Amino acid sequence: MPIATRAFAATAAHTPLSPYSFERRDPGPDDVAIDIQFCGVCHSDLHVANNDLGNTRYPIVPGHEIAGVVSAVGSDVTRFKIGDRVGVGCMVDSCRVCSSCKEGEEQYCVPGMTQTYGSPDPKGAAVGQTVTQGGYSDHITVDQNYVLSIPDSIPLDAAAPLLCAGITTYSPLREWKVGPGSKVAVIGLGGLGHMAVKQAAAMGAEVTVLSTSDRKKADAERMGAKHFLINSDKAAMAAAGEKFDLIINTVSATHEIASHINLLARDGTMVMLGLSTEGMPVYALPLLWRRRRIAGSLIGGIRETQEMLDFCAEHGIACEIEVIAPDRINEAYSRMEKSDVRYRFVLDMAKL
């Protein structure tokens, strides 16, 4: 039987999200049905709801930071059982045969991963769904190969944002081999930035936070940052020149990055994580002069996401959250645009 599902959805660009009902597919042989308990609110949800990328198909149920409990499993499911604490991140399928998928980097699937919301959904045809719908809802059905196990030591509400914010920062820290002795700067102390600070510090790095003001300095230090730098302070920026091996840039709005390149040591890398939609100029000479790099990173594959969850459990790391009822999602979007959250909104789907 199809699973009746309640949700909040965007029905047009720049209009408030509103209650929405639809059906999820009943679990097939390899599927896991999940009662969603919490769903994080990501800045990319706002971009999609507002059609900032120009490809949103309405109505759309955002949400790709999903934590809940297994309610049913298909006949061939071996990894999960009813009652397990599980999570779903930014993808629910991929081609499984391209080089990226075979290497456990499903997020870089060559034909394109099936995103948790907004992707074509051939598996949803039986219940009239042509597009995947996300976690601002009370149920979801996902192939077992794209479901994560949430360690018992992490509360489900604080675990939810790890499925995007947590893996988005963990993946580049691992890719660029951060460890004891590494000097890491984090630009922006928001939903992503605060996770980068906690994870990099737990890996043994010396962490500096760059921000536009000092209002979050105490938070940054509590999370493990050793230094705090105001990026409008030209003298302080000059003094920090050529210091960092890695800069994690989490800012999702268009901003000036050219002056930050000089903070990188030789062979240093700035990794862009924010989903900005406009160009940001840089100059060749500072890159050439020290063999510096600007790179991008998405989320992580399923294997790496599970590794991240286990790492966070081992080190006592979780997102710092503000839990709200789903009917406050439009207020949350408004506050998120003003950076008025410390540090991630999480929807309590029991209050739907």
Side-chain angles (χ1 to χ4, degrees), residues 5-18:
T5 301
R6 297 175 299 158
F8 265 76
T11 56
H14 300 285
T15 59
L17 276 67
S18 57

Side-chain angles (χ1 to χ4, degrees), residues 24-179:
R24 300 281 194 188
R25 71 180 187 272
D26 196 47
D30 291 309
D31 286 334
V32 175
I34 301 167
D35 288 342
I36 299 175
Q37 296 191 3
F38 299 97
C39 185
V41 180
C42 177
H43 207 281
S44 59
D45 297 346
L46 179 60
H47 281 303
V48 172
N50 286 339
N51 197 27
D52 290 340
L53 303 180
N55 59 2
T56 301
R57 286 169 283 188
Y58 298 101
I60 190 72
V61 178
H64 56 210
E65 299 180 337
I66 298 167
V69 175
V70 175
S71 59
V73 296
S75 57
D76 294 339
V77 171
T78 58
R79 299 179 57 226
F80 302 98
K81 64 183 185 302
I82 293 173
D84 282 353
R85 305 165 82 249
V86 295
V88 177
C90 300
M91 60 181 162
V92 292
D93 212 338
S94 64
C95 82
R96 312 189 193 196
V97 296
C98 71
S99 59
S100 292
C101 286
K102 287 182 177 180
E103 292 167 11
E105 301 280 7
E106 301 95 338
Q107 72 275 30
Y108 300 120
C109 175
V110 174
M113 64 176 170
T114 301
Q115 297 182 72
T116 304
Y117 61 88
S119 285
D121 184 17
K123 293 182 178 179
V127 289
Q129 293 298 316
T130 59
V131 175
T132 55
Q133 303 288 4
Y136 296 4
S137 57
D138 55 2
H139 302 287
I140 195 168
T141 303
V142 180
D143 185 288
Q144 65 172 333
N145 293 294
Y146 297 81
V147 177
L148 289 309
S149 177
I150 296 177
D152 290 341
S153 63
I154 307 177
L156 283 180
D157 54 0
L162 295 176
L163 279 305
C164 175
I167 186 57
T168 298
T169 53
Y170 183 88
S171 187
L173 292 171
R174 281 297 191 220
E175 176 65 22
W176 275 271
K177 298 177 173 57
V178 168

